[in-house]
Amino acid sequence: MTSAVQKRPITGPEPTAIERWLRELSSNWGGIALIALFWEIAGRLLNQLWLPPFSKVVARLWDLLTDGTLAPHILSSLTVLVTGFAIALVFGLIIGTLMGLSSWVNAALDIYVNSFLFTPGLIFAPILFAIFGLSDATRVSVVVIYAMFIIIINTAAAVRHVDRPLLEMAASYGASRWTALVRIVMPDAFPLIIAGIRMGVGRAVKGMVNGEMFIALIGIGGQAAKFGKQFDFTSVWAISVFIMVIAVIINQSVSRIEQRLTRWVG
Amino acid sequence: MSSIIDIKGMSHAYGGAGGTLALSDVNLEIRKNEFVTLLGPSGCGKTTLMRAIGGLVTPTSGSVLVNGKQVRGPNLDCAIVFQNFALMPWASVLQNVAFGLEMRGVGKAERMEKAREAIALVGLRGFEDKYPKQLSGGMQQRVGLARALVVSTPIMLMDEPFGALDQQTRRYMQEELLNIWQQDQRSVVFVTHDMEEAILLADRVVLMSNRPGRIEEVLDINFERPRNPEEVERMPEFIELKEYLWNRLRQMHEMSAA
Amino acid sequence: MARLVAFIIFAGLWEWGATSANSILIPTFTETAKALFETMFVTGDVWPALWISNIPMLIGYGISVAVSVPLGLAMARWTVADRMLNPITALMLALPIAPLVPVVLVALGMGMTPKVVIIILFSWVFITTNVRAGTRQVDRHLVEMARSFGASEREVWFRILIPGAIPAVFAGLRIGLGRAFAGMVIVELIMLPVGIGAQLMDYRGDFKADLLYATTIVVVMEAVLLAIAMQAFERHLIRWK
């Protein structure tokens, strides 16, 4: 009780979500600008091949984006990302729901699901590469392995821990099992499922980059690997910064959607 | 008649001067071994007043003297019983009760012995090695009470200690607190929003009003001690007092709602 | 029971699928099981490779823990530290480490150091942010309680903040270990084929599919064992929850 009172500002209305977000952003932006400045100075002073100044990295990123070097690779990466994530989403939700509803399915699969969750997905890349070769299927399946299991785990947990009194309430009003699943279990499990999907998106991006680094031929990750082997570190940094920005944008958008969809949670 | 707590012209604003005024010009003296309850609607600053005595809040203006000395920082003449129990979940009942003694540098053997005695006093013998999560709410607050009793301070501060408990448990705790206090007297400042509780326990009820918090009235409660709550509650004077307080509180509510 | 049935179905499907695919790149279940047994107990080929991979992982993880836990605690307790480090952790959480592996290699040369540094880069920020978040959740009322009974700052740390933060610290350590392990695998697969990574690539190149699968399974088993060990340790330490 007291903590809530003291955390709030003394007077004035509660800040809106946007204001809070702006404040957070600006408080971090100052620091980020400092880091960029520090990077610039360190890059100029050290004069090392592996640490080009920040301004050169930004300029190189601009070149790569405008001269058409990166465009086809970005397209290719995003295709792989979306395809892989869609597959992970569909199977993740189905398997997760089944595991949540049936203790039998859960007992049958939990060892495998957890093993995949604990294991770095890239370890399967050599096997996948052996099976699918250079086709997109290799990259897509790496993305699936990265993203699917966290979705399964969260969906299963959410469905399993559905609010019992709510289920009893539904039954007392004569809801069938199917109605209870659609009207009670799924909405109740929704926030946790969405959280799993959000984590799945983050992992999918990692899977995409790592898978492409492994194959080292196509996609943004492939380009990064190529430049790395050529000792073109300005380009490596440029692509890393680019991936970071993309990851942040995707992450922010998904979080925003998540907040919007789960406003009722409170 | 010696006063142990002396509050003079105390005001307090959260967020420093210019912030929200929580307490305005409070004057109050509390005698040695006196049982005082602070009663009032939420937002009247009764908890702030109590915390100022304990040194957890430094007043924006005015002074709080305990034993004639200005309170600065946590006041070790006070032991606090917290509303939310404030038990360390990772420590056993025994370790929780012994915490205050440990902070005062009491040796291990002595503090364990004293803690065991206090645990027995609040009726928790046999639960020494349990963790707080394994106890009911009433039992958890007994641990909090034992922790405050065992440091033997001249003042005990209680912040709506039974507010989170159910009706029946609350009654047991009130009886027990009266018994313990009867045997082992000290000054008690007890914050509550429950009128019956305030009358039942107190030598004096300090009635406070909100926005900003100030003292409205101080009532002497003269029921004979030791008190039996059930008997006291049936007395016409008790019912009269309750009605009076009820009306005062309702007036305040209407004033602040208007 | 369900597990056994599921395993039999799984093994049967694999056996049947691999037999009908009849590809040099897809071993059957029995072939893989045989290779697994051989590489673990007959030839023992997997152990030296696993050892080579694990040394930098363990060193890097150790350093990472030693640095990141105090950082997280400091961020949780002091606003100044939080302000200073927040932009760095925010950037590091988003920064992809894998593409930067060659940068670290050129900066630090060959040998053990770059690998250790990469493992640290992979794991530290996850430990720090978890410790910070968990320590901030320690009940503030307990800090107040301790102060009211006369606890000093040092006592508040050792009696309230640190015990209260232990669940969060362990969650951070567990996640950090997973990240360090991932770092080890990723470095070896994309840049520095030594240890287990080199072995996997060799088996793939030589079309020894059974050994490729078996060695992958060994790595999975290590990851799972590490996770289980961490969880057991964690449960043991925080019985009070």
mmCIF file of all heavy atoms in Angstrom, chain B residues 91-110:
data_model
loop_
_atom_site.group_PDB
_atom_site.id
_atom_site.type_symbol
_atom_site.label_atom_id
_atom_site.label_comp_id
_atom_site.label_asym_id
_atom_site.label_seq_id
_atom_site.Cartn_x
_atom_site.Cartn_y
_atom_site.Cartn_z
ATOM 1 N N ALA B 91 13.884 -17.288 6.313
ATOM 2 C CA ALA B 91 14.364 -17.571 7.652
ATOM 3 C C ALA B 91 13.276 -18.295 8.445
ATOM 4 O O ALA B 91 12.088 -18.054 8.246
ATOM 5 C CB ALA B 91 14.759 -16.276 8.354
ATOM 6 N N SER B 92 13.697 -19.167 9.370
ATOM 7 C CA SER B 92 12.738 -19.908 10.181
ATOM 8 C C SER B 92 12.068 -18.959 11.180
ATOM 9 O O SER B 92 12.500 -17.824 11.366
ATOM 10 C CB SER B 92 13.451 -21.031 10.928
ATOM 11 O OG SER B 92 14.324 -20.461 11.880
ATOM 12 N N VAL B 93 11.029 -19.452 11.824
ATOM 13 C CA VAL B 93 10.330 -18.667 12.844
ATOM 14 C C VAL B 93 11.326 -18.194 13.900
ATOM 15 O O VAL B 93 11.373 -17.013 14.261
ATOM 16 C CB VAL B 93 9.211 -19.522 13.485
ATOM 17 C CG1 VAL B 93 8.696 -18.881 14.759
ATOM 18 C CG2 VAL B 93 8.079 -19.739 12.493
ATOM 19 N N LEU B 94 12.176 -19.128 14.350
ATOM 20 C CA LEU B 94 13.143 -18.786 15.393
ATOM 21 C C LEU B 94 14.088 -17.676 14.922
ATOM 22 O O LEU B 94 14.336 -16.692 15.647
ATOM 23 C CB LEU B 94 13.943 -20.044 15.768
ATOM 24 C CG LEU B 94 14.895 -19.901 16.952
ATOM 25 C CD1 LEU B 94 14.129 -19.637 18.228
ATOM 26 C CD2 LEU B 94 15.744 -21.161 17.103
ATOM 27 N N GLN B 95 14.596 -17.805 13.707
ATOM 28 C CA GLN B 95 15.525 -16.788 13.192
ATOM 29 C C GLN B 95 14.838 -15.442 13.018
ATOM 30 O O GLN B 95 15.428 -14.392 13.265
ATOM 31 C CB GLN B 95 16.107 -17.246 11.846
ATOM 32 C CG GLN B 95 17.083 -18.404 11.983
ATOM 33 C CD GLN B 95 17.368 -19.061 10.647
ATOM 34 O OE1 GLN B 95 16.528 -19.102 9.751
ATOM 35 N NE2 GLN B 95 18.581 -19.586 10.510
ATOM 36 N N ASN B 96 13.578 -15.480 12.593
ATOM 37 C CA ASN B 96 12.838 -14.233 12.438
ATOM 38 C C ASN B 96 12.668 -13.529 13.782
ATOM 39 O O ASN B 96 12.872 -12.324 13.886
ATOM 40 C CB ASN B 96 11.467 -14.506 11.816
ATOM 41 C CG ASN B 96 11.469 -14.335 10.302
ATOM 42 O OD1 ASN B 96 11.621 -13.226 9.801
ATOM 43 N ND2 ASN B 96 11.333 -15.434 9.595
ATOM 44 N N VAL B 97 12.288 -14.317 14.802
ATOM 45 C CA VAL B 97 12.052 -13.709 16.111
ATOM 46 C C VAL B 97 13.358 -13.178 16.702
ATOM 47 O O VAL B 97 13.383 -12.130 17.340
ATOM 48 C CB VAL B 97 11.381 -14.735 17.066
ATOM 49 C CG1 VAL B 97 11.306 -14.182 18.482
ATOM 50 C CG2 VAL B 97 9.993 -15.091 16.550
ATOM 51 N N ALA B 98 14.448 -13.883 16.418
ATOM 52 C CA ALA B 98 15.730 -13.477 17.005
ATOM 53 C C ALA B 98 16.368 -12.302 16.266
ATOM 54 O O ALA B 98 17.378 -11.767 16.720
ATOM 55 C CB ALA B 98 16.695 -14.671 17.012
ATOM 56 N N PHE B 99 15.788 -11.898 15.142
ATOM 57 C CA PHE B 99 16.438 -10.908 14.269
ATOM 58 C C PHE B 99 16.776 -9.615 14.996
ATOM 59 O O PHE B 99 17.891 -9.096 14.899
ATOM 60 C CB PHE B 99 15.542 -10.632 13.058
ATOM 61 C CG PHE B 99 16.151 -9.661 12.087
ATOM 62 C CD1 PHE B 99 17.127 -10.069 11.199
ATOM 63 C CD2 PHE B 99 15.741 -8.331 12.059
ATOM 64 C CE1 PHE B 99 17.696 -9.187 10.306
ATOM 65 C CE2 PHE B 99 16.308 -7.443 11.170
ATOM 66 C CZ PHE B 99 17.284 -7.868 10.289
ATOM 67 N N GLY B 100 15.785 -9.087 15.731
ATOM 68 C CA GLY B 100 16.007 -7.808 16.410
ATOM 69 C C GLY B 100 17.134 -7.897 17.426
ATOM 70 O O GLY B 100 17.968 -6.995 17.526
ATOM 71 N N LEU B 101 17.178 -9.016 18.156
ATOM 72 C CA LEU B 101 18.252 -9.204 19.143
ATOM 73 C C LEU B 101 19.593 -9.284 18.450
ATOM 74 O O LEU B 101 20.591 -8.737 18.925
ATOM 75 C CB LEU B 101 17.993 -10.500 19.932
ATOM 76 C CG LEU B 101 16.778 -10.488 20.849
ATOM 77 C CD1 LEU B 101 16.526 -11.887 21.396
ATOM 78 C CD2 LEU B 101 16.986 -9.507 21.991
ATOM 79 N N GLU B 102 19.610 -9.958 17.315
ATOM 80 C CA GLU B 102 20.851 -10.110 16.579
ATOM 81 C C GLU B 102 21.371 -8.735 16.158
ATOM 82 O O GLU B 102 22.559 -8.439 16.284
ATOM 83 C CB GLU B 102 20.600 -10.986 15.355
ATOM 84 C CG GLU B 102 21.879 -11.447 14.695
ATOM 85 C CD GLU B 102 21.603 -12.186 13.417
ATOM 86 O OE1 GLU B 102 20.482 -12.702 13.238
ATOM 87 O OE2 GLU B 102 22.503 -12.213 12.559
ATOM 88 N N MET B 103 20.462 -7.887 15.676
ATOM 89 C CA MET B 103 20.866 -6.549 15.248
ATOM 90 C C MET B 103 21.396 -5.727 16.419
ATOM 91 O O MET B 103 22.165 -4.807 16.258
ATOM 92 C CB MET B 103 19.696 -5.806 14.604
ATOM 93 C CG MET B 103 19.223 -6.369 13.286
ATOM 94 S SD MET B 103 20.520 -6.415 12.025
ATOM 95 C CE MET B 103 20.838 -8.153 11.909
ATOM 96 N N ARG B 104 20.948 -6.089 17.616
ATOM 97 C CA ARG B 104 21.430 -5.378 18.798
ATOM 98 C C ARG B 104 22.673 -6.023 19.373
ATOM 99 O O ARG B 104 23.121 -5.663 20.468
ATOM 100 C CB ARG B 104 20.316 -5.345 19.851
ATOM 101 C CG ARG B 104 19.257 -4.282 19.575
ATOM 102 C CD ARG B 104 17.986 -4.569 20.352
ATOM 103 N NE ARG B 104 17.068 -3.454 20.307
ATOM 104 C CZ ARG B 104 16.344 -3.111 19.259
ATOM 105 N NH1 ARG B 104 16.453 -3.804 18.146
ATOM 106 N NH2 ARG B 104 15.515 -2.082 19.302
ATOM 107 N N GLY B 105 23.189 -7.029 18.671
ATOM 108 C CA GLY B 105 24.454 -7.621 19.078
ATOM 109 C C GLY B 105 24.357 -8.585 20.240
ATOM 110 O O GLY B 105 25.344 -8.839 20.913
ATOM 111 N N VAL B 106 23.173 -9.148 20.485
ATOM 112 C CA VAL B 106 23.032 -10.130 21.555
ATOM 113 C C VAL B 106 23.640 -11.454 21.089
ATOM 114 O O VAL B 106 23.448 -11.869 19.945
ATOM 115 C CB VAL B 106 21.536 -10.327 21.896
ATOM 116 C CG1 VAL B 106 21.375 -11.420 22.949
ATOM 117 C CG2 VAL B 106 20.943 -9.016 22.384
ATOM 118 N N GLY B 107 24.395 -12.120 21.954
ATOM 119 C CA GLY B 107 25.066 -13.366 21.597
ATOM 120 C C GLY B 107 24.090 -14.467 21.225
ATOM 121 O O GLY B 107 22.912 -14.436 21.592
ATOM 122 N N LYS B 108 24.597 -15.447 20.475
ATOM 123 C CA LYS B 108 23.715 -16.421 19.865
ATOM 124 C C LYS B 108 22.912 -17.213 20.901
ATOM 125 O O LYS B 108 21.695 -17.328 20.801
ATOM 126 C CB LYS B 108 24.520 -17.395 18.993
ATOM 127 C CG LYS B 108 23.623 -18.358 18.271
ATOM 128 C CD LYS B 108 24.273 -19.015 17.083
ATOM 129 C CE LYS B 108 23.230 -19.874 16.402
ATOM 130 N NZ LYS B 108 23.668 -20.540 15.212
ATOM 131 N N ALA B 109 23.608 -17.749 21.907
ATOM 132 C CA ALA B 109 22.912 -18.597 22.877
ATOM 133 C C ALA B 109 21.809 -17.811 23.573
ATOM 134 O O ALA B 109 20.673 -18.271 23.693
ATOM 135 C CB ALA B 109 23.919 -19.130 23.900
ATOM 136 N N GLU B 110 22.145 -16.594 23.981
ATOM 137 C CA GLU B 110 21.177 -15.791 24.714
ATOM 138 C C GLU B 110 19.980 -15.439 23.834
ATOM 139 O O GLU B 110 18.833 -15.515 24.253
ATOM 140 C CB GLU B 110 21.849 -14.506 25.225
ATOM 141 C CG GLU B 110 20.959 -13.728 26.175
ATOM 142 C CD GLU B 110 21.549 -12.372 26.530
ATOM 143 O OE1 GLU B 110 22.754 -12.163 26.244
ATOM 144 O OE2 GLU B 110 20.798 -11.525 27.056
#
